[in-house]
Amino acid sequence: MSYIGDVAKEMKKVTWPTFSEINHFTWIVIFAVIFFSLYFGVVDFGFDNLVKWILTLSFTG
């Protein structure tokens, strides 16, 4: 049971973030997820159209 006691001692040393820090970093994560999902969606759409265009050239030419 010394493991549990050691964990409790270490948890008392932890500096927990404040509510404003949690709020701040949560919004950063939300905006990053939105930004990267839009970015990869646009890139995927572009590559999809590029591949379709290349395939139509190779089969109709």
Side-chain angles (χ1 to χ4, degrees):
M1 284 299 216
S2 68
Y3 174 75
I4 302 295
D6 291 341
V7 170
K9 286 179 192 175
E10 291 297 321
M11 291 301 285
K12 289 179 183 176
K13 297 178 185 178
V14 172
T15 304
W16 297 99
T18 63
F19 178 76
S20 63
E21 290 173 331
I22 293 171
N23 191 23
H24 176 74
F25 291 123
T26 299
W27 282 110
I28 289 174
V29 169
I30 289 171
F31 285 128
V33 167
I34 290 170
F35 172 78
F36 284 110
S37 64
L38 289 173
Y39 172 76
F40 287 118
V42 168
V43 169
D44 181 54
F45 180 76
F47 278 124
D48 181 47
N49 286 331
L50 178 66
V51 169
K52 286 179 183 176
W53 179 71
I54 291 172
L55 289 176
T56 59
L57 287 178
S58 65
F59 289 125
T60 59

